[in-house]
Amino acid sequence: MCGIIGCVAEEPVAGILMDGLRRVEYRGYDSAGMATISDRILTVRKGAGRVSEIEDRHRLSKLKGSIGLAHTRWATHGGVTDQNAHPQASCRELVAVVHNGIIENYVALKKALAADGHRFRSETDTEVISHLIESEYKKLKDPLRATLAATKKLKGQYAIAVMFQDRPDLLVGARKDAPLIVGVGDGKMFLASDVLAFIEHTDMTIFLDNFEVVEISKDRIKIVGRDGKEVRRKPTQVAWELSDISKSDYAHYTLKEINEQPRTVVGASVQEDGKVADFARAIRKAKSLYVTGSGTSYHAGLLMKFRLNKEAGIRCDVVVAGELKEHAAFLKRGSVVVVLSQSGETADVIDAVYETKKRGAKVLSIVNAAGSTLARESDGVLLLNCGPEVGVAATKSFTSQVVVSNLVVDAVLGKSRTNGIKELSEAVKDALGTEKKVLELVELYKDRPDFYFVARGYESPIAMEGALKLKELSYIHAEGMPASELKHGTLALIEKGTPVVVINPSGDHHADTLSSAEELKARGADVIGVSDVEDEVYAHFIRVPKVQPKFAPVVEVIPLQLLAYHTAVARKNDPDYPRNLAKSVTVK
Ligand code: F6R
C-alpha cells in the first residue's frame, strides 16, 4: 500500500513532487523517496522514515530536473529499510520504478533475471519490475512497448510509474487492480495514485483501466490497451476543490472531517431522482440481495439491511466484503449486490465485485471516489459527494453512506424523496456540541485498557462503529455488540470502573437497553449513556438531538467519533496516521 506521484513538466518538478508526496503520505508512511533526471543523470534519493524525515535527510525538494517520480511506502515485501524504499532502479540505473501493489510471481521472475546477470539490491518485489522493464527496453528500444511487454509477465496487482534515464522527456505508467490516474495540466502532466497528489495543478484527469499502459510527456498522452492498440480517452474534470484537502485551522484532518458533517450530510442527499429510482427498482426485482463493504462501510451496510428487512420486508444479507465469496452460492444472474465504500479501491471490496460480476449478478455501488475501480466496475453508482476523506478513520463518509442508503430504502418503500435533511444537518451541528462533555470523559478514561459499546436493533452497528473508531485511533481495546449479547459471555469482563457506552435513543428498545445498563452498573461498570433522553442509571450522559429514527445513527456516531479522536490526541497518537493501518486497504 503506497502512494505514487510522477510529473513531467516545462519547469523543475522536485517541489511539485514533494507537495504531492505529502498529500499521498496517508497511503503509506514508513519510507519515502524521489528520483529525477537532470543532464542525463538519474538521481535516486530515498530512505526509511516519514516524508518530512527523508526531506530533512536527503533534501528531496532540491533535486534538479523537469521530470521525476516520488513514492511513499507501506512495506509488504521486504522490511522497512533505506534500500527497500522506492524508487527502485535497474542494474545500470537505466530504469527507475515506483510501485503500489504486490507482484505474486516475483520470486520466479527474480530467479530468471538473476540467471540473466541482473544484480538485485533490495528485498522488494518492485525491483523485479525495474529489471524486467530494463531487459525489455534493451530489446524493444521503446519505453511504452517495453513496459507493456514487462507487465504481461507480472502476476498480482500493480500501479507503476516508470522513468528511463535516456528519455528525460517522458514517463510511463501501467496498472492492474491498483489505482493510477493521469493528471492533464498546462505544460505539465502527472501520474498518481490519488487525484489529491496533483489537484493543486490540475483537476483534469484520465482514469486508466486495468492492463492499460500510458506514456506522458509535458504536452502529450498516449494510452494503449493490452493488445498494444491505442485507446483514445478524453480527460474528465474532478469536482473536488483544493480547499477540501487543506486542514484549514484544524489540528488534524480527522477533526476537520468530523466537523464537516453538517455540510456533507446535505451533499450526500443531493442525488438524481432517476438514479435512486433505478437502485430501488433493481433492489425490488432482485432474485437475491446482498449488501457488502468492509470496516466502517460494512457498518453502514448493516443499517441499510436493517431497514430493508424490517420496513420494506425485503430479504437481504449483509456480508463483509472479504467473505462474500464464501456466500456466493446464491449469487447468480438476477441477484443484486449493493457495495458500500469510501475509496472504491479496497482490495476485499474489489474482489467481491469481480466475484459478483463473474456470477452474472448486478453491482450497485454507493461510493465516494468517482473515478475509483469500484465506480467504474459498477452497473449503477450513487456518489457520497463528501469530498476527499484524508484522515485514516472513516468519519464523514460513514454519515454520508447512511444518508444515501436511506434515500435508496425510502425509494424502495415508495416514498418520493427523503425529507428532513436540513433538520438533520442542524442536529449534526448540535451533536458536535457534545465535544466539551466528550473531553471530560477522555480525561477520565484515556488510560483504561478496555472499552465496551452496546446498543439494540438499528443502533447495534453504531456500537460496533464506536468500538472500531476507538481501536483504530486510540489503540485501546474496544468491543461493540448488541446489548442482548452481553449476558452470553462478555459480562464476565465487566469490573469496577470499566467504561461502557450505551447508545439508547427513545423508542422501542429503550426500556430493554436500560435494563442492560442496570445490569452493567450492578457489576461496577461506569455506564456512559448516549441518547436523546437522560436516565439515572448513567454515570455520565451525552445528550444527542432527537431526529427521525432512520437518521438517529448519524447523530449518535458523532460523539463516538469525537471520543476516539480526542482519546488519540490525549494519548499522543497522531489521529491522521494510526499505526498498522493505511487509508486504502489495497492488499488482501
Ligand atoms: C475505519 C476505516 C476502515 C474502512 C475500510 C473500508 O475507520 O476507515 O474500516 O472503512 O477499510 O474502506 P472503504 O470504505 O474505502 O472501502
Side-chain angles (χ1 to χ4, degrees), residues 294-297 341-344 346 349 392-394 401 468-469 472 585:
S294 301
T296 291
S297 296
S341 175
Q342 187 284 127
S343 63
T346 305
V349 170
V392 173
Q401 285 169 338
L468 180 63
K469 270 324 68 121
E472 192 183 19
V585 187

Side-chain angles (χ1 to χ4, degrees), residues 271-294:
Q271 303 288 343
E272 274 176 43
D273 287 345
K275 279 194 185 175
V276 177
D278 287 348
F279 266 55
R281 203 172 307 114
I283 286 173
R284 267 193 243 108
K285 273 179 31 197
K287 291 213 174 95
S288 64
L289 177 65
Y290 285 91
V291 177
T292 195
S294 301

